[in-house]
Amino acid sequence: MSPHATLATAATRVAAAGPADGDPTLKDFGNDPWWLVGGKVLVIFVFLVVTVLMSMWMERRVIGRMQLRVGPNRAGPFGLLQGLADGVKLALKEDIVPRQVDKLVFVLAPIISAVPAFISFAIIPFGPTVSVFGHETALQGTDLPVAVLLVLAMSSMGVYGIVLAGWSSMSPYSLLGGLRSSAQVISYEIAMGLSFVAVFLFAGTMSTTGIVNAQADKWFVLLLFPSFLVYVITMMGESNRIPFDLPEGEGELVGGFHTEYSSLKFAMFFLAEYINLATLSALCTTLFLGGWRAPAPISTVWAGANQGWWPVLWFVIKLVLFIFFFVWLRGTLPRVRYDQLMKLGWKVLMPFSLGWILLVATIRAFKNEGYDMGRISIYSAIALGVIIIVTLIWETARGDGDKEKQIVPDPAGGAAAGGPAAPADVAAAGGFPVPPMDAPHYHGKTTTSRKEVTSGLH
């Protein structure tokens, strides 16, 4: 049987399957008492804070081992309290606010970046329906008919904090970091949203509980592997981490959008980054890896693997493995160039996602109309082969045109060839225009004070 026929058969099984006993549904939410709702919010908050601390510890230990170092091992057993010590250190540092910044926006920007990161985790299911002090409730903060879109909305809100932090700092490097972040998130958020469409077509809902219930028979990572690959790439772009951490590239922008931040304000940006890391990993687990459901060998031999509180363990294991994957990439890959980042998002991921969605939707439509799936599979394979061949021919015909482009302009080349010479400031910068160290015109000011700042709030 061809892959396209398998895809159509699996789609029919998913549509026919319904939630099992104990699996929560959308109508089960909104009936909890106030104390249970408050308890869920508190548990999610504590879980995220502990996850951030453990992620920091795991990242430093794993990368230390990869680089033949020990990593943190002094604060607590095995260095487990190193993240808590770093948090206390940041809280006790002097809070410096540079002169002439927009203080209101400067203070609000870290809050705008951190709060949406907490909200996104509210729709992630941890497990099935359980009994808490005699009350039956789902192990999930809440659910919505468009729950997955809430994550995209909160991700868009979070980037406002980064952009406003760069704009309000009155620093050219911070401003460039904020602009990079806005362009990057817009580019990769579109591709991420497109990777969700095939999941919505198979599950028939945007509710996270409905998506997990639809994976009771087979996980979507097996049925929709191309969507899974696109999501994994875009989640790295959304989280601003290596190899896509261009908004805070210290080699080009000093520290990026948070260059002027210190103490608790910087800690909130730090917290938002790691919470986004956990949220994106949890969302990937929910959409493609069966959510809280146990993997096939365990669920096959153990009937109670997906009942009670055991599913929380399977969910946490999947979450930790995905965070380890993030850490592994950070210790392995270098930072890409910005033009490579944009090219991958706009010229590769988006066209590929649109073509994959078209293929999945076409197979679903023909299957619903009762057409012969064997013939449709043959036609789809032929069309896919033609597209691949045409793409290869097109890339071969283009040749090495991109390699012939002069990335770094030669200051003396123009004059030697009879053309105009490069400006003196460009020549002094090695071919690249360098932004001024202070840019008062960004904020409509014409003069700036160069008086040395001693310490404290200015």
Side-chain angles (χ1 to χ4, degrees), residues 41-60:
V41 172
L42 180 61
V43 168
I44 291 175
F45 177 81
V46 173
F47 176 80
L48 287 177
V49 173
V50 174
T51 301
V52 168
L53 296 178
M54 293 297 101
S55 299
M56 294 167 56
W57 173 81
M58 182 174 69
E59 183 172 32
R60 298 175 66 175

Side-chain angles (χ1 to χ4, degrees), residues 3-251:
H4 304 294
T6 304
L7 195 67
T9 304
T12 305
R13 293 177 180 174
V14 170
D21 295 337
D23 291 350
T25 59
L26 188 59
K27 64 181 181 179
D28 295 332
F29 293 90
N31 302 319
D32 295 333
W34 65 268
W35 58 268
L36 189 54
V37 174
K40 287 184 177 181
V41 172
L42 180 61
V43 168
I44 291 175
F45 177 81
V46 173
F47 176 80
L48 287 177
V49 173
V50 174
T51 301
V52 168
L53 296 178
M54 293 297 101
S55 299
M56 294 167 56
W57 173 81
M58 182 174 69
E59 183 172 32
R60 298 175 66 175
R61 292 282 291 191
V62 170
I63 293 181
R65 292 295 182 182
M66 290 180 176
Q67 299 172 348
L68 301 180
R69 296 185 290 106
V70 178
N73 63 349
R74 298 294 182 183
F78 305 103
L80 287 171
L81 299 180
Q82 185 63 51
L84 182 61
D86 291 340
V88 174
K89 177 191 69 174
L90 283 174
L92 297 179
K93 277 183 173 291
E94 183 181 10
D95 187 12
I96 298 176
V97 179
R99 189 180 302 170
Q100 297 180 350
V101 302
D102 191 327
K103 292 185 178 180
L104 178 61
V105 180
F106 188 82
V107 173
L108 288 178
I111 301 174
I112 296 175
S113 183
V115 171
F118 281 99
I119 297 176
S120 300
F121 215 85
I123 53 92
I124 300 296
F126 286 81
T129 302
V130 297
S131 177
V132 179
F133 298 112
H135 187 88
E136 297 291 328
T137 184
L139 290 177
Q140 182 176 352
T142 188
D143 197 10
L144 302 169
V146 290
V148 179
L149 300 185
L150 176 68
V151 178
L152 292 177
M154 291 299 103
S155 175
S156 301
M157 290 295 296
V159 78
Y160 275 101
I162 297 177
V163 174
L164 292 176
W167 177 85
S168 64
S169 296
M170 197 182 172
S171 167
Y173 297 110
S174 299
L175 180 66
L176 290 175
L179 293 177
R180 278 187 176 188
S181 178
S182 61
Q184 177 174 329
V185 170
I186 290 173
S187 302
Y188 281 77
E189 202 167 71
I190 297 174
M192 177 180 285
L194 293 175
S195 69
F196 294 160
V197 175
V199 176
F200 299 155
L201 289 174
F202 263 68
T205 179
M206 298 183 187
S207 163
T208 51
T209 53
I211 293 174
V212 173
N213 293 338
Q215 299 178 77
D217 182 48
K218 187 177 293 185
W219 293 357
F220 286 158
V221 66
L222 303 176
L223 305 177
L224 304 172
F225 189 71
S227 296
F228 173 74
L229 289 180
V230 172
Y231 178 80
V232 169
I233 297 175
T234 55
M235 67 190 286
M236 290 185 289
E238 282 285 304
S239 59
N240 293 334
R241 289 179 59 88
I242 286 179
F244 299 150
D245 63 335
L246 277 303
E248 52 188 60
E250 66 278 357

Side-chain angles (χ1 to χ4, degrees), residues 112-428:
I112 296 175
S113 183
V115 171
F118 281 99
I119 297 176
S120 300
F121 215 85
I123 53 92
I124 300 296
F126 286 81
T129 302
V130 297
S131 177
V132 179
F133 298 112
H135 187 88
E136 297 291 328
T137 184
L139 290 177
Q140 182 176 352
T142 188
D143 197 10
L144 302 169
V146 290
V148 179
L149 300 185
L150 176 68
V151 178
L152 292 177
M154 291 299 103
S155 175
S156 301
M157 290 295 296
V159 78
Y160 275 101
I162 297 177
V163 174
L164 292 176
W167 177 85
S168 64
S169 296
M170 197 182 172
S171 167
Y173 297 110
S174 299
L175 180 66
L176 290 175
L179 293 177
R180 278 187 176 188
S181 178
S182 61
Q184 177 174 329
V185 170
I186 290 173
S187 302
Y188 281 77
E189 202 167 71
I190 297 174
M192 177 180 285
L194 293 175
S195 69
F196 294 160
V197 175
V199 176
F200 299 155
L201 289 174
F202 263 68
T205 179
M206 298 183 187
S207 163
T208 51
T209 53
I211 293 174
V212 173
N213 293 338
Q215 299 178 77
D217 182 48
K218 187 177 293 185
W219 293 357
F220 286 158
V221 66
L222 303 176
L223 305 177
L224 304 172
F225 189 71
S227 296
F228 173 74
L229 289 180
V230 172
Y231 178 80
V232 169
I233 297 175
T234 55
M235 67 190 286
M236 290 185 289
E238 282 285 304
S239 59
N240 293 334
R241 289 179 59 88
I242 286 179
F244 299 150
D245 63 335
L246 277 303
E248 52 188 60
E250 66 278 357
E252 310 131 18
L253 303 177
V254 183
F257 59 90
H258 53 61
T259 299
E260 306 295 340
Y261 283 88
S262 62
S263 190
L264 285 178
K265 298 185 183 68
F266 174 78
M268 294 192 71
F269 282 119
F270 203 69
L271 184 68
E273 176 182 336
Y274 279 89
I275 292 178
N276 283 327
L277 182 68
T279 302
L280 292 172
S281 301
L283 185 63
C284 186
T285 299
T286 302
L287 296 181
F288 297 101
L289 301 181
W292 43 262
R293 297 186 181 278
I298 299 177
S299 60
T300 303
V301 301
W302 182 17
N306 292 324
Q307 299 175 4
W309 294 88
W310 285 107
V312 178
L313 176 62
W314 318 133
F315 176 83
V316 172
I317 291 175
K318 297 175 186 178
L319 180 66
V320 171
L321 290 178
F322 245 100
I323 294 177
F324 173 79
F325 175 72
F326 266 103
V327 175
W328 191 5
L329 289 180
R330 177 175 179 177
T332 305
L333 300 178
R335 181 182 296 129
V336 301
R337 292 202 317 263
Y338 195 73
D339 62 314
Q340 295 172 335
L341 175 75
M342 291 292 105
K343 182 178 180 180
L344 177 64
W346 289 96
K347 294 185 177 181
V348 178
L349 295 181
M350 291 186 196
F352 177 80
S353 298
L354 290 173
W356 172 246
I357 292 170
L358 181 62
L359 178 62
V360 172
T362 301
I363 292 176
R364 288 295 302 272
F366 279 123
K367 180 64 178 179
N368 294 337
E369 293 295 329
Y371 285 88
D372 181 14
M373 294 311 302
R375 183 176 299 177
I376 294 175
S377 301
I378 295 175
Y379 292 158
S380 300
I382 294 175
L384 185 61
V386 170
I387 293 174
I388 293 175
I389 293 175
V390 170
T391 303
L392 293 176
I393 294 175
W394 170 257
E395 291 295 332
T396 304
R398 289 179 61 190
D400 297 334
D402 293 338
K403 296 182 180 179
E404 297 175 359
K405 295 180 181 179
Q406 188 179 12
I407 299 178
V408 180
D410 185 7
D425 55 346
V426 175

